[in-house]
Amino acid sequence: MKIALLQILPAGSEEGNKIKGSEYCRRAKAAGADVALFPEMWNCGYRIPQDLAELNRLAVPADGGFVRTFAGLACELEMAIGITFLEESAPAPKNSFCLFDRFGRDVLRYSKVHTCDFGEERVLSSGSDFYVCDLDTAEGPVKVGAMICFDREFPESARILMLKGAEVILAPNACPMEINRLAALRSRAYENMLAVATCNYPLGQPDCNGHSTVFDGIAWLSDAPESRDMCVLEAPEEEGIYLTKIDISMLREYRRGEVMGNAYRRPEKYGLLVSEKIEAPFIRTDRKR
């Protein structure tokens, strides 16, 4: 499964982003990609005005012209496309993602659950759940889920996707990627035995620096004496298309014999994790409920 990370700068307008995004999808297909993934909120270049009226002007409907352009393009190119956008919603827009398969079918919609309520995203509505789909590829179906940027800091995000069957997580992003955030992505891949593909904006976008990554989730091989680096791609800072391959067959074989993921969990011991009766002392008092 070849994934193209479209680590590209916004063009300055919704129409410009639609045109540039379409061009880079065509380039990704020419490079042999099965899936093309955009960085976070591509339709507006991750702009989040704090004025609700201005914010709503930037938002687009999930079934509107901007998003449907990429449905048609996915069908035309016979390549899955993961498009991101500020979605029209009440009481406020959402930070959303839609995956179209190679036939242009809408197979997965997701809105960011862990919005950054300590910053500009406090004005957004958040998503309500995590979802997994069967993505039809030329080599057969692959179970794909999604999480967005800050979602990665919560082990529960990837854990739920794993429990729902995800083999690959697509993760649009818009923030500086440094050692700690990269370590979080590596951990999500390791502890769940799944691949995580993250697409960031390049250097030149405010508060972003490229370093899009793919961790394939395979920490050991049976015929190798030592562990292996799960990072099969780390892009530089510059704008571009960064393409890598995830060996789904090897991942499935690895999951059949290894001990992470759901192999030895003890969910009956984890009740405190989902209890709303415990108020941990370090929860910020200004947290949006």
Side-chain angles (χ1 to χ4, degrees):
M1 181 177 178
K2 294 180 180 177
I3 298 180
L5 306 178
L6 307 184
Q7 184 176 285
I8 54 179
L9 288 167
S13 68
E14 180 184 306
E15 182 64 19
N17 291 340
K18 182 172 69 174
I19 293 170
K20 183 171 183 176
S22 298
E23 175 191 346
Y24 272 82
C25 284
R26 294 184 186 281
R27 293 185 188 182
K29 175 63 178 181
D34 298 305
V35 183
L37 178 64
F38 282 89
E40 190 173 1
M41 279 192 345
W42 174 250
N43 81 296
C44 61
Y46 195 76
R47 286 177 54 209
I48 309 177
Q50 298 301 287
D51 176 75
L52 187 57
E54 186 179 355
L55 183 70
N56 283 326
R57 281 194 291 272
L58 287 179
V60 297
D63 295 315
F66 180 88
V67 177
R68 297 305 304 176
T69 291
F70 293 93
L73 192 59
C75 182
E76 176 192 338
L77 299 178
E78 297 183 2
M79 177 187 72
I81 297 175
I83 185 64
T84 59
F85 54 103
L86 179 66
E87 181 185 356
E88 281 187 1
S89 179
K94 295 178 179 180
N95 183 339
S96 295
F97 167 87
C98 188
L99 180 63
F100 296 107
D101 71 7
R102 63 195 177 113
F103 305 106
R105 299 177 301 202
D106 179 346
V107 293
L108 178 65
R109 291 190 187 186
Y110 170 70
S111 295
K112 188 174 185 177
V113 167
H114 299 101
T115 48
C116 298
D117 295 337
F118 49 84
E120 291 181 330
E121 288 189 358
R122 67 171 62 90
V123 297
L124 301 181
S125 296
S126 60
S128 57
D129 202 352
F130 298 91
Y131 307 99
V132 171
C133 71
D134 287 304
L135 179 65
D136 187 307
T137 76
E139 300 299 323
V142 178
K143 289 193 174 294
V144 175
M147 61 186 185
I148 298 175
C149 200
F150 193 48
D151 284 327
R152 85 180 152 259
E153 307 296 345
F154 300 86
E156 296 86 352
S157 306
R159 187 63 108 194
I160 289 170
L161 289 169
M162 179 275 293
L163 292 173
K164 290 185 174 183
E167 299 170 298
V168 176
I169 295 176
L170 302 178
N173 193 81
C175 73
M177 297 308 295
E178 42 72 57
I179 189 170
N180 299 297
R181 292 184 174 108
L182 292 173
L185 291 165
R186 182 185 293 272
S187 296
R188 301 296 85 83
Y190 169 77
E191 65 203 8
N192 293 295
M193 298 193 292
L194 46 69
V196 181
T198 302
C199 185
N200 195 27
Y201 286 100
L203 192 68
Q205 172 77 350
D207 210 29
C208 292
N209 66 341
H211 293 280
S212 299
T213 53
V214 176
F215 295 94
D216 70 1
I218 303 170
W220 296 282
L221 295 175
S222 58
D223 58 353
E226 297 179 351
S227 62
R228 64 185 287 274
D229 188 352
M230 295 183 299
C231 185
V232 295
L233 170 69
E234 181 176 347
E237 295 180 335
E238 291 77 21
E239 182 176 55
I241 297 172
Y242 297 95
L243 181 72
T244 195
K245 178 181 178 182
I246 297 172
D247 190 327
I248 299 296
S249 296
M250 187 166 70
L251 177 62
R252 288 171 179 167
E253 181 63 25
Y254 175 77
R255 296 178 102 182
R256 278 191 284 269
E258 275 302 337
V259 300
M260 285 75 69
N262 199 29
Y264 291 95
R265 290 175 65 251
R266 297 284 181 88
E268 72 276 7
K269 307 292 187 183
Y270 307 153
L272 186 61
L273 292 177
V274 293
S275 173
E276 296 183 359
K277 297 179 181 179
I278 303 298
E279 189 73 17
F282 50 81
I283 290 180
R284 287 173 50 158
T285 57
D286 62 344
R287 171 183 167 184
K288 186 176 84 172
R289 298 288 178 173

